[in-house]
Amino acid sequence: MGLPQSRPDLISLAAGFTDNAVLPSDLIREAFEGLRREDPGLGYLQYGSTHGRPLLRELCLSHLAACPGERLDDLTAEQVLITNGSQQALYLATQSLCDPGDLVLVEDPTYFVYLSLLQSLQVRAVGMPTDADGGVDREALSGILSGLKQEGVLHRVKAVYLMGYYSNPSSRCLSLEAKRGVAEVLQLHDCRAAVIEDAAYRDLHHGNSHGVPSVLSMPCFDGFPRLYLGTFTKPLATGLKVGYAVSTDRKWLEKLLFIKGNQDFGTAHFNQAIVEWILANGRYLPLLAGLSRHYGAKATLLDQVLEHSGIRAAGWHWQKPDGGLLFWLRGPEDCSTAMGASLARACLDRGVVYVPGHFCFASAAPDHFIRLSIGAACADKLNLAASRFCEAVLSQ
Amino acid sequence: MGLPQSRPDLISLAAGFTDNAVLPSDLIREAFEGLRREDPGLGYLQYGSTHGRPLLRELCLSHLAACPGERLDDLTAEQVLITNGSQQALYLATQSLCDPGDLVLVEDPTYFVYLSLLQSLQVRAVGMPTDADGGVDREALSGILSGLKQEGVLHRVKAVYLMGYYSNPSSRCLSLEAKRGVAEVLQLHDCRAAVIEDAAYRDLHHGNSHGVPSVLSMPCFDGFPRLYLGTFTKPLATGLKVGYAVSTDRKWLEKLLFIKGNQDFGTAHFNQAIVEWILANGRYLPLLAGLSRHYGAKATLLDQVLEHSGIRAAGWHWQKPDGGLLFWLRGPEDCSTAMGASLARACLDRGVVYVPGHFCFASAAPDHFIRLSIGAACADKLNLAASRFCEAVLSQ
């Protein structure tokens, strides 16, 4: 986990790992035994196609269609592509859309690995202001698009990247109104960029699934090519790394397939077969129910430690997330959370590390935010690490 | 396998699949059970690093170092990167080296998927003439480099792509002299392009491993950045898709790691752990010994059917391969093997398909070559398909 070996006492609330305690080794064994029984010809250990196993693609689509508010009757399993986690889908999507110098609109804050990905492809990230309640500031977005038009680069906006469900890092969901707002402002400016919705944490709600449908099901996005990214990496097993992308646009999908064909010929077929077996045998939803309880309890624990510590009175704000693995904390404006600054050192002295929030911003990055993860640490360690963190905050 | 469903009688000698009969499902189960016993904390189902499991990287290097002629004392496991099969390593290597308009030298014939990969990155493939005995025509190569210099594009040659062991499609190995020749001619022309050696089939010899070391161990390549690509996909299980790349150049490796980090964060950790367990427990070499017998027998079978059919008298030439899964046949110069031509139709009528050789050439593509695979079809089907093929040839 990248922690110094000389500090075995350190607890990381930074890493995006899931909790080993809920990794379903028994279920994966059951799936493997099931495959051995049902496919004695061993097809599950042979190459598959670049596109992915047909039944798995169908099951991904059915799973998605059963989420609240979705209306996906127009989509078929042909429009689903199996990927090496949603990260690969994100890479393929961006590579297929963008040339160096192109622009992508992202929420501010957004997934920092995506910012690095964009930079590696020499694509400029343009931040869209969002708020903690799931809103997108329409006027600000409109102003940004006007600015890009004036700069003469509006036509180079090739994609809009949205995280509608328990976003990384802020764990907030986008409201129906916010998504509609994005579509309307884009249309107003005659910008028909592709829309990528990354729903990596959608299945990891802590009790009630967020009721807003994806951009695939929202008529206001009808004129936009759309790609929805789902994954079994976080909810099922990080070590299997199977994700999927659903596209409304067949030509775009063909491009993704072509690039993936050159990159790897298709996701490891064994892993696809294991996930397919788990879905086909109705074992995924019960697993999710367990995860919901598990991570929900950890979220409550962290929230309580933070709440009881008194850091709110010291100017710190957060909302307990309803899903996902992340807490997003805003400190006083004059408090730097950067790695070299006093707070980070105080945390390190006490044996806890976090992700400084400024990594997550495309635009002028405020440095008084912090991302904490409830993923990897067990309850005892989470408790201890949170106490250390609060002590460090209060020492400032 | 892409065959028309309406033709269940068709047998494909085209697909690059391995033989399901030798896919080691029991061994993989044993590895999984071993991991469950030895790592009760379930680390093997968690994320790994982009670089790959340290022990697996060490074991890859030890395996490589034990191959005939290798001297790898200067290399460490830090210089090994675990990839999604060798295909991903090939993509990363090319992406990290080349801009659109750059050039890569390839053997003629070469791996046709690599030609497609180059095309997708807008990189021009330049063919180097080779012969069936593992030679590279030095004079011709020198002439090609002179030509590129005259064109003013010699400095845009960013890589040389070699398949030293049982090449796809021709199954010939490069001799020591041939590899040395490439190094010397490049040096003569002051061309210090990176050298990529793709050894995907090296472990799949049919009895005796080819005695020539890789470019990593040849002093004549000392001045060149080199990347060696190995894989467990073909020899262990196509469905696991675990490969590795070994680089002599740390800066290049850093670039590969950076791109892979953006593309997928690392190869599925579960699959890495399974391969690691198999290597660490001394189970890989016995598996290879079995594969050697299995594919050796299939090669003998196909060779005999071809030999007894009389197609040699009709102007067809081939050498029985000493490793790999492919036969490379040269027909009479006036015989087109292209998909629409008479021979392909005659084969299809009789229920057998092959890969037309012209796909495998970078330069002016002769169309009287054919690639046949001994991988997927069982002995009976291979026998039947080969007889159909010979009958079609003799009908021309």
Side-chain angles (χ1 to χ4, degrees):
Chain A
M1 293 170 56
L3 301 180
Q5 290 201 325
S6 50
R7 291 286 307 271
D9 62 309
L10 265 188
I11 306 174
S12 174
L13 298 181
F17 285 34
T18 55
D19 194 338
N20 285 28
V22 287
L23 287 171
S25 183
D26 289 346
L27 179 57
I28 290 169
R29 174 158 71 166
E30 208 182 320
F32 187 13
E33 296 303 326
L35 291 170
R36 284 169 57 90
R37 243 182 356 258
E38 294 158 20
D39 183 5
L42 306 183
Y44 59 91
L45 284 179
Q46 189 49 266
Y47 280 126
S49 67
T50 300
H51 203 153
R53 285 170 76 91
L55 177 57
L56 176 59
R57 289 189 278 111
E58 270 179 42
L59 292 165
C60 288
L61 195 58
S62 313
H63 173 68
L64 176 56
C67 290
E70 299 290 359
R71 293 189 182 187
L72 305 176
D73 300 339
D74 292 347
L75 295 176
T76 71
E78 283 301 301
Q79 288 160 271
V80 180
L81 169 66
I82 305 299
T83 59
N84 306 330
S86 47
Q87 182 68 27
Q88 187 189 35
L90 206 46
Y91 195 90
L92 294 172
T94 310
Q95 192 180 2
S96 68
L97 293 169
C98 298
D99 293 311
D102 281 342
L103 279 63
V104 171
L105 296 171
V106 302
E107 296 167 52
D108 243 349
T110 191
Y111 176 40
F112 64 85
V113 179
Y114 190 54
L115 293 176
S116 152
L117 192 167
L118 289 174
Q119 201 177 13
S120 80
L121 295 173
Q122 298 171 59
V123 174
R124 179 173 144 205
V126 178
M128 303 183 290
T130 57
D131 63 42
D133 298 321
V136 173
D137 187 331
R138 281 185 191 222
E139 264 184 54
L141 178 57
S142 196
I144 286 165
L145 295 181
S146 297
L148 295 175
K149 191 168 186 181
Q150 275 192 322
E151 256 190 79
V153 295
L154 185 59
H155 66 288
R156 301 208 64 174
V157 175
K158 297 296 173 64
V160 183
Y161 174 64
L162 300 174
M163 278 179 291
Y165 307 89
Y166 320 113
S167 113
N168 182 350
S170 72
S171 279
R172 58 104 208 78
C173 296
L174 288 175
S175 65
L176 198 67
E177 195 48 40
K179 285 184 177 172
R180 225 182 255 140
V182 171
E184 287 169 8
V185 175
L186 289 173
Q187 271 168 330
L188 196 70
H189 289 264
D190 220 16
C191 172
R192 292 286 173 160
V195 178
I196 302 169
E197 179 160 27
D198 181 348
Y201 292 87
R202 187 177 192 179
D203 286 352
L204 280 180
H205 58 80
H206 299 163
N208 292 306
S209 186
H210 181 55
V212 173
S214 71
V215 296
L216 296 176
S217 295
M218 293 180 66
C220 58
F221 282 102
D222 274 355
F224 298 84
R226 282 155 285 162
L227 192 74
Y228 175 92
L229 313 185
T231 188
F232 301 100
T233 301
K234 298 277 182 195
L236 208 160
T238 37
L240 288 182
K241 203 163 276 192
V242 176
Y244 58 100
V246 186
S247 178
T248 60
D249 188 289
R250 285 173 193 270
K251 281 196 181 160
W252 189 8
L253 189 77
E254 274 168 31
K255 282 188 196 167
L256 301 179
L257 271 162
F258 176 68
I259 303 175
K260 185 165 167 66
N262 286 317
Q263 278 185 6
D264 64 20
F265 292 152
T267 294
H269 201 222
F270 181 51
N271 305 37
Q272 292 187 53
I274 285 175
V275 174
E276 178 183 292
W277 192 94
I278 290 169
L279 289 168
N281 287 274
R283 307 296 295 277
Y284 183 55
L285 293 184
L287 179 79
L288 287 185
L291 295 181
S292 166
R293 286 188 298 274
H294 185 79
Y295 290 117
K298 287 173 84 170
T300 299
L301 171 66
L302 179 57
D303 185 56
Q304 284 175 349
V305 177
L306 296 175
E307 208 57 84
H308 294 156
S309 71
I311 65 168
R312 215 181 265 283
W316 286 77
H317 297 269
W318 69 92
Q319 285 186 7
K320 177 171 170 275
D322 296 324
L325 304 175
L326 305 168
F327 274 61
W328 183 238
L329 282 73
R330 174 163 55 83
E333 284 198 16
D334 60 353
C335 169
S336 170
T337 63
M339 289 313 288
S342 163
L343 176 61
R345 285 202 310 275
C347 282
L348 203 58
D349 286 346
R350 286 166 177 81
V352 61
V353 291
Y354 59 76
V355 173
H358 67 85
F359 289 126
C360 308
F361 290 90
S363 315
D367 71 347
H368 57 296
F369 287 87
I370 274 177
R371 192 193 83 169
L372 299 179
S373 170
I374 58 168
C378 64
D380 283 354
K381 284 203 167 179
L382 182 60
N383 200 337
L384 180 60
S387 303
R388 289 174 178 176
F389 171 75
C390 294
E391 202 185 286
V393 163
L394 295 172
S395 77
Q396 298 300 296
Chain B
M1 294 172 57
L3 302 180
Q5 291 201 325
S6 51
R7 291 287 307 271
D9 62 310
L10 263 189
I11 305 175
S12 173
L13 299 180
F17 285 33
T18 55
D19 194 337
N20 285 28
V22 287
L23 287 171
S25 183
D26 289 345
L27 178 58
I28 290 169
R29 174 159 68 166
E30 207 182 322
F32 187 12
E33 295 304 326
L35 291 169
R36 284 169 58 90
R37 244 184 353 260
E38 294 157 21
D39 183 6
L42 306 183
Y44 59 91
L45 283 179
Q46 187 50 266
Y47 280 127
S49 67
T50 300
H51 204 153
R53 285 170 76 91
L55 177 58
L56 176 58
R57 288 189 277 112
E58 271 178 41
L59 292 165
C60 289
L61 195 57
S62 313
H63 173 69
L64 176 55
C67 290
E70 298 291 359
R71 293 186 182 188
L72 305 176
D73 300 339
D74 292 347
L75 295 176
T76 71
E78 283 301 301
Q79 288 159 271
V80 181
L81 169 65
I82 305 300
T83 59
N84 305 331
S86 49
Q87 182 68 27
Q88 186 189 34
L90 207 45
Y91 195 90
L92 293 172
T94 311
Q95 192 180 1
S96 68
L97 293 169
C98 297
D99 292 312
D102 282 341
L103 279 65
V104 171
L105 296 172
V106 302
E107 297 167 51
D108 243 348
T110 192
Y111 176 39
F112 64 84
V113 179
Y114 190 54
L115 293 176
S116 152
L117 192 168
L118 289 174
Q119 201 177 13
S120 80
L121 295 172
Q122 298 170 59
V123 174
R124 179 174 144 204
V126 178
M128 303 184 289
T130 58
D131 63 42
D133 298 321
V136 172
D137 187 330
R138 281 185 192 221
E139 264 183 55
L141 178 57
S142 196
I144 287 165
L145 294 181
S146 297
L148 295 175
K149 191 168 187 181
Q150 275 192 323
E151 255 190 80
V153 294
L154 186 59
H155 66 289
R156 300 209 64 174
V157 175
K158 298 296 173 65
V160 183
Y161 174 64
L162 299 175
M163 279 180 291
Y165 307 88
Y166 320 114
S167 115
N168 182 348
S170 73
S171 278
R172 59 105 207 78
C173 296
L174 287 176
S175 65
L176 197 67
E177 194 48 38
K179 285 184 177 174
R180 224 182 254 140
V182 171
E184 286 170 7
V185 176
L186 289 173
Q187 271 169 329
L188 195 70
H189 288 265
D190 220 15
C191 173
R192 293 285 172 158
V195 178
I196 302 168
E197 180 159 26
D198 181 348
Y201 292 88
R202 187 177 192 178
D203 287 352
L204 280 180
H205 59 79
H206 298 162
N208 292 307
S209 186
H210 181 55
V212 174
S214 71
V215 296
L216 296 176
S217 295
M218 293 180 66
C220 57
F221 282 101
D222 274 355
F224 298 85
R226 282 155 286 162
L227 193 74
Y228 175 92
L229 312 184
T231 187
F232 301 100
T233 301
K234 297 277 182 195
L236 209 161
T238 38
L240 288 182
K241 203 163 276 195
V242 176
Y244 59 100
V246 186
S247 177
T248 59
D249 188 289
R250 285 173 192 269
K251 280 195 181 161
W252 190 8
L253 188 76
E254 274 168 30
K255 282 188 196 167
L256 302 178
L257 271 162
F258 177 68
I259 304 176
K260 184 165 168 66
N262 285 318
Q263 278 184 7
D264 64 21
F265 292 154
T267 294
H269 201 220
F270 181 51
N271 305 37
Q272 292 187 53
I274 285 174
V275 174
E276 178 184 292
W277 192 95
I278 290 169
L279 289 169
N281 287 275
R283 308 296 295 276
Y284 183 55
L285 293 183
L287 178 79
L288 288 186
L291 295 181
S292 166
R293 287 189 298 274
H294 184 81
Y295 290 118
K298 287 172 83 169
T300 300
L301 170 66
L302 179 55
D303 185 57
Q304 284 174 350
V305 177
L306 296 175
E307 208 58 83
H308 294 157
S309 71
I311 65 169
R312 217 180 263 283
W316 286 76
H317 297 267
W318 68 93
Q319 285 185 6
K320 177 171 170 278
D322 296 323
L325 303 175
L326 305 168
F327 275 61
W328 183 240
L329 284 73
R330 175 163 54 83
E333 284 199 19
D334 61 352
C335 168
S336 170
T337 63
M339 290 313 288
S342 164
L343 176 60
R345 286 203 310 276
C347 282
L348 204 58
D349 286 348
R350 288 166 176 81
V352 62
V353 291
Y354 58 77
V355 173
H358 67 85
F359 289 126
C360 308
F361 290 90
S363 315
D367 73 346
H368 58 295
F369 287 87
I370 273 177
R371 192 192 84 169
L372 298 180
S373 170
I374 59 167
C378 65
D380 283 353
K381 283 202 167 177
L382 183 60
N383 199 337
L384 180 60
S387 305
R388 288 173 179 176
F389 171 75
C390 294
E391 201 185 288
V393 163
L394 295 173
S395 78
Q396 298 299 296

